[in-house]
Amino acid sequence: MKKYLIGFSVATLIVLSGCSSKEVSTTSTASNSNKTVTGDNVTSLKHKDILTESSIHDAVRINDMKLVDFFINEKIDLNEKDKFGYTPLHLASRFNHFDIAEKLIKNGATVNSVDKYGDTPLIDSTRNGYTKMSKLLICNGAKRDVLDKYEMSPLHYASKTNDVLIAKLLRTENVESECKEPEKVAAPAEQFYNLITMDDYEIINDNTPKICGDVLDADVKQVQLSFDGGETITEGVINKDRWCAQVEKKMENGDYTAMAMAINSANQRGKAQDDLTIHVLNDLYNALKAEFEPDFEQWNAEIDEDTLTFRFKNPALMFTRGSSKISTNYKEILNSFFPRYVNILKDYSNEITSVHVEGHTSSRYRTAKTAEEKFEKNRILSQKRADKVLEYITGNSDNAVVENKGFIEKAFVADGKSSSQSVLNEDGTENYVLSRRVEFRIETDPNK
């Protein structure tokens, strides 16, 4: 019995000792695997991993140009080899990372470095059939007569991969001429004729602008306008020696180049363009609409969202026919309208360059005989009406008007437009009733 007890004790001791020894061994291994390297060497550009690759080897492998640029700027050794003798250029050639290879060569990487297998970067690229990479290496001095450990040359590999261009380049006696980039032949300049002009626009306060210009050739048969290089075309209307194109699709605020193309009966083309800015204060429109929308029907008025123009459309209510005398009813409307209008505009005074009080007429004038006489008489009448309206509203004693006298005197001007901006019906004929109107038109400047 004692014998068995002794045996059991010894066995137990052995087992326990074995476990203890294993734990020690495991702890030791874990301790080694978690070992940290301290000091400058871990962040040094010369630090290498277990394959003796430096940081730029890793960057080239994953084709990360930003990292490659970083390490080049940090002056890392571009010809450093790993345990297989691979330089960064070897890896770029092997993985066909052309842009990185080009960057490495430009910054001093050796094109004829040989790895432990006897391969140069050119051997690697021709073996894989990378035509562009092989040409880059040859044109930067790669030796064409090298052999790998199988005594295969770049020409052998070019033949195996059916790379005729590289085979010719490897055989040519004048590498420099073959590598020289052909000079780009400039395409002949497209000829444009002096057919049209475009009016000078700087800032347009209209999200659906109307662009016009002069017609210099009587044979011009078509004018087209675009703001986006021709993707969207607006057909222009030619009227004697003028053309105009009305944009229908609303445009965002911003800077544009307006381009007009013309063609005449001889198929000659003309071009005119102008750089301009479209700027409409959309917040101002919302404020004006919120304030005056309840009055629109009673006043027969409206606000044009695209131009911020406040329009009174009933001249019979405003003036006696052929007269500039303001009616009593219109005075009451102006008394209500103008103080509220100024009270809103003052908050945008930094961007408002002017507010035009405009008188508009139709093309009719009973006592005038010619079109020129009608236009001139209507111009005089429309100017008088605009002057009278401006004189009346600026004399308003409301606090909003008095307190903003400086802004009003600086910004508000009276313009008589005659029939120059007649309102047209859908069929293109003049709407004589709607053409007679008074408008308050705001001009803004985003750079003011």
Side-chain angles (χ1 to χ4, degrees), residues 90-375:
H90 272 102
L91 297 178
S93 302
R94 181 163 296 177
F95 296 119
N96 201 27
H97 296 162
F98 180 85
D99 291 338
I100 286 181
E102 188 175 41
K103 174 76 71 170
L104 292 171
I105 292 171
K106 285 182 178 179
N107 285 276
T110 302
V111 295
N112 290 309
S113 180
V114 182
D115 63 21
K116 66 180 293 184
Y117 305 104
D119 295 343
T120 64
L122 181 59
I123 290 286
D124 286 330
S125 64
T126 53
R127 181 186 291 130
N128 290 291
Y130 299 148
T131 303
K132 190 176 179 182
M133 179 70 73
S134 298
K135 182 177 180 181
L136 172 69
L137 294 166
I138 294 170
C139 292
N140 281 278
K143 292 180 179 179
R144 295 176 286 168
D145 57 356
V146 293
L147 298 174
D148 64 9
K149 67 178 183 178
Y150 304 108
E151 296 192 358
M152 295 280 285
S153 69
L155 184 59
H156 281 104
Y157 286 120
S159 300
K160 282 181 173 292
T161 57
N162 299 316
D163 198 334
V164 177
L165 189 150
I166 294 303
K168 289 181 178 179
L169 194 56
L170 289 166
R171 290 282 298 155
T172 185
E173 294 182 0
N174 193 349
V175 174
E176 289 186 6
S177 63
E178 293 293 331
C179 290
K180 187 177 180 181
E181 291 293 332
E183 294 184 5
K184 293 182 179 180
V185 179
E190 190 172 5
Q191 185 173 5
F192 291 101
Y193 294 85
N194 196 24
L195 304 182
I196 58 171
T197 66
M198 184 181 294
D199 293 346
D200 186 22
Y201 298 95
E202 186 173 347
I203 297 172
I204 298 179
N205 302 128
D206 189 346
N207 289 127
T208 55
K210 184 178 183 180
I211 305 298
C212 300
D214 292 332
V215 177
L216 306 179
D217 185 335
D219 288 332
V220 170
K221 60 182 182 180
Q222 184 181 32
V223 178
Q224 293 181 327
L225 174 73
S226 72
F227 286 89
D228 48 16
E231 292 184 19
T232 305
I233 300 294
T234 300
E235 289 290 338
V237 176
I238 300 172
N239 184 9
K240 297 180 181 178
D241 60 351
R242 293 284 290 171
W243 67 269
C244 287
Q246 176 65 60
V247 177
E248 300 294 340
K249 185 178 179 181
K250 186 172 182 176
M251 300 177 66
E252 298 294 328
N253 287 349
D255 297 326
Y256 295 89
T257 297
M259 178 80 72
M261 302 294 293
I263 188 168
N264 63 13
S265 55
N267 287 326
Q268 294 173 329
R269 299 207 300 163
K271 180 174 71 172
Q273 68 182 55
D274 184 42
D275 294 328
L276 53 86
T277 298
I278 292 178
H279 182 252
V280 177
L281 291 174
N282 297 313
D283 289 344
L284 176 54
Y285 166 75
N286 294 331
L288 290 171
K289 182 180 179 183
E291 176 67 31
F292 293 109
E293 191 169 27
D295 301 304
F296 285 166
E297 184 176 354
Q298 181 183 354
W299 293 353
N300 194 9
E302 65 181 8
I303 300 175
D304 188 327
E305 181 179 0
D306 293 325
T307 63
L308 298 181
T309 298
F310 198 105
R311 184 175 296 119
F312 292 97
K313 301 185 293 181
N314 190 349
L317 179 67
M318 306 176 210
F319 305 97
T320 305
R321 180 181 291 274
S323 169
S324 60
K325 183 179 180 180
I326 303 175
S327 69
T328 302
N329 287 338
Y330 191 34
K331 285 181 179 180
E332 291 177 359
I333 292 174
L334 291 175
N335 289 340
S336 173
F337 162 74
F338 192 63
R340 294 153 63 193
Y341 187 65
V342 170
N343 199 44
I344 294 173
L345 263 57
K346 66 179 175 58
D347 294 333
Y348 298 86
S349 59
N350 288 336
E351 293 181 84
I352 293 175
T353 57
S354 58
V355 182
H356 293 257
V357 181
E358 296 180 343
H360 295 265
T361 68
S362 70
S363 61
R364 289 176 171 175
Y365 201 97
R366 286 185 179 180
T367 61
K369 296 180 180 179
T370 65
E372 290 77 10
E373 185 181 2
K374 290 177 181 179
F375 184 88

Side-chain angles (χ1 to χ4, degrees), residues 381-399:
L381 176 61
S382 61
Q383 184 65 54
K384 286 182 177 180
R385 286 179 171 178
D387 288 336
K388 285 292 185 181
V389 170
L390 182 58
E391 179 184 352
Y392 182 77
I393 59 178
T394 54
N396 193 303
S397 59
D398 188 278
N399 287 339

